[in-house]
Amino acid sequence: MGIMERAKRALSRRGFVGVLGTLGAGLVGLAACGTEATPTKAAAAVGASGTHQMAGMAGAATPVASGASGAMTADEMDKMHEAGIKAFPAKTAGLGGQPLAHRMEGEFKVFDLVAKKVQWEVEPGKFFEAWGYNGVIPGPELRVTEGDKVRVVVKNELAESTAVHFHGQMAPNAMDGVPFITQPPIKPGTNFTYEFVAKPAGTHMYHSHHNATKQVGLGLLGAFIVDPQDPKTRPAFDKEWTIVINDGPHGFTLNGKGFPATQPFVAKRGERVLIRYMNEGQLLHPMHLHGMPQQVIARDGYLVPQPFLCDTLTIAPGERWDVIVEATELGVWAFHCHVLSHAESEHGMFGMVTALIVKE
Ligand SMILES: [Cu+2]
C-alpha cells in the first residue's frame, strides 16, 4: 500500500470514528463550525455579512474571494473544517417535524395548529425570529390514511393574516387555502377550520399561502403524509426519513436546522430507508448521497412509472420526491445539497449537509 493510500485510509477511518464517537457520547453543543466560533482572519475575509450562507454565496459569486482566504493558512482552514465536523450533530434547542397526535371528533381526525412567532435556534447559538406552527420548524408532521376525514383547526397568533394550503391534496375548492381565491384570510387572533378527505396518498406538505415568500421562508411549513390504505401498493421499506428543505432569511436548512445542527439518520446494514424530500424553498436543491444510490419511486406522491437509480436528485420548489436507499455500505456517508454554496465554504460545511450512518 502506498503512503498516500495509507494516509487516505487512516483519515477516513478517523473521520468515521470521530463522528460515531460524537454520536455515542451524546450531542455536543459547543462550537459551531468555524465562522462564529473562531473569528479569525477568515471571518474578516467574509466581510460584514458574517453568516455561513452569505460566506458561501459570496464565495460562489466571486471566485476572486478565494484570494482573500490566502490570508488563512492551510492549517487554519483545515482546523475550521474539522471543528465543524466534530461538532456534528450539534445540539440546538427545538426539534421540528415530530408527529402531531390527532383527536377524533365523530369521523374526523382533528389536528390543531397555531401559527406564531418563535425564537428558533437554527445553528448552535444562532437564533432568529421564526414563524412556525406550534412553535417548531418545520411544523409538526400531520399523518393520516388515504380516505380519512381530516379537520385542521388553524389559529393565527401572528400580527398579520395567514392561510394554510394542503399542498398536493385534492381538497374541495373552499378548503384550498388561498386568500381571496377560496377563502378570506385568517386575520390575527382568529381561527379557520379546514376539512377534507385525505387523497391522494403519498408525501405532501402544508404551508402558508399568504405573504408566502416571507411566511414560508420564516417557517410556516410542514409535512403532510398520507399513508396508502393498502401498504402493498407501494414499495416496502424498513424506516423512513422526511427531509424538509428550505432556504430563507435563516440560511439553508434541512428540517429547520443548518449543519452542524442537522440530524443524521442511522440505519442498520441492509435496511431499506424511505427518504421523503420536500422543497419549501425558492431554489433548486440537488440532494446528493455518498456511497449508495437512491432509487426514485415517487414524485409529488405519485408512483413513477419506472423506478430509477441516481446519486443526485434535484428537488425543485414545491416538489416532493420519495426515494429508497438500500443501506448496504457501512460508514458515515456525507449527504448534502450539491449547490456547493449551500453546503461548504472555506470555513467548512454549513447549511444543507447531514449524514446517513450505516451500522452493523
Ligand atoms: Cu441547495
Side-chain angles (χ1 to χ4, degrees):
M1 196 188 307
I3 286 178
M4 284 308 286
E5 184 60 21
R6 218 171 296 177
K8 253 196 300 197
R9 288 196 182 186
L11 255 180
S12 67
R13 198 164 52 236
R14 255 206 309 281
F16 175 63
V17 170
V19 176
L20 279 185
T22 308
L23 284 167
L27 302 167
V28 178
L30 282 180
C33 64
T35 312
E36 285 91 0
T38 35
T40 61
K41 294 169 216 161
V46 178
S49 72
T51 64
H52 286 138
Q53 67 274 20
M54 291 311 290
M57 295 291 248
T62 47
V64 190
S66 64
S69 71
M72 184 164 41
T73 68
D75 283 346
E76 282 169 342
M77 185 187 288
D78 294 350
K79 225 171 221 162
M80 295 176 113
H81 283 238
E82 187 182 19
I85 299 295
K86 284 196 163 157
F88 176 74
K91 192 175 168 60
T92 47
L95 177 64
Q98 300 306 295
L100 182 64
H102 66 266
R103 61 175 194 279
M104 295 302 297
E105 283 178 4
E107 292 185 308
F108 282 87
K109 286 185 176 171
V110 185
F111 298 90
D112 293 302
L113 294 178
V114 180
K116 61 183 179 186
K117 284 181 186 174
V118 56
Q119 286 299 314
W120 190 250
E121 191 176 16
V122 67
E123 290 167 26
K126 186 177 159 191
F127 288 82
F128 78 105
E129 187 188 288
W131 295 3
Y133 296 112
N134 299 8
V136 287
I137 318 287
E141 176 193 285
L142 308 187
R143 182 179 284 257
V144 294
T145 301
E146 189 182 9
D148 280 349
K149 290 181 176 169
V150 181
R151 181 176 291 151
V152 182
V153 182
V154 179
K155 185 171 187 216
N156 182 9
E157 291 186 357
L158 297 166
E160 67 183 48
S161 299
T162 191
V164 179
H165 171 61
F166 294 85
H167 183 111
Q169 285 299 282
M170 295 175 67
N173 185 257
M175 296 290 121
D176 196 46
V178 187
F180 304 111
I181 294 185
T182 62
Q183 68 169 90
I186 312 174
K187 299 277 189 194
T190 69
N191 295 348
F192 190 91
T193 300
Y194 293 91
E195 281 183 5
F196 56 93
V197 174
K199 65 173 181 183
T203 299
H204 304 289
M205 313 190 279
Y206 65 97
H207 50 227
S208 164
H209 215 296
H210 192 61
N211 191 15
T213 306
K214 180 173 184 182
Q215 294 195 1
V216 178
L218 286 178
L220 289 170
L221 54 93
F224 191 84
I225 311 289
V226 182
D227 289 323
Q229 282 185 350
D230 178 3
K232 289 195 287 290
T233 55
R234 304 224 152 199
F237 58 90
D238 300 301
K239 282 181 175 167
E240 58 182 290
W241 184 12
T242 294
I243 301 179
V244 182
I245 299 165
N246 200 13
D247 47 69
H250 54 296
F252 299 104
T253 55
L254 302 175
N255 291 331
K257 303 284 177 175
F259 185 88
T262 49
Q263 294 298 301
F265 193 85
V266 181
K268 279 196 194 136
R269 176 141 74 171
E271 282 183 324
R272 286 164 62 84
V273 180
L274 169 66
I275 299 174
R276 302 175 185 270
Y277 294 110
M278 43 193 82
N279 186 350
E280 289 278 18
Q282 314 287 314
L283 303 168
L284 299 176
H285 299 290
M287 294 301 295
H288 175 54
L289 173 65
H290 290 211
M292 285 151 282
Q294 315 184 42
Q295 185 189 37
V296 179
I297 60 162
R299 177 185 178 179
D300 298 342
Y302 301 100
L303 292 174
V304 295
Q306 178 66 57
F308 59 94
L309 294 175
C310 63
D311 61 44
T312 307
L313 182 66
T314 298
I315 321 293
E319 287 181 352
R320 289 88 62 218
W321 289 87
D322 290 2
V323 305
I324 287 180
V325 173
E326 277 193 55
T328 54
E329 310 302 309
L330 290 177
V332 176
W333 296 102
F335 189 11
H336 60 95
C337 174
H338 218 292
V339 175
L340 299 176
S341 56
H342 301 174
E344 192 166 344
S345 76
E346 61 191 1
H347 308 116
M349 290 187 177
F350 69 94
M352 293 175 169
V353 179
T354 185
L356 174 64
I357 299 169
V358 183
K359 289 179 165 179
E360 207 54 270

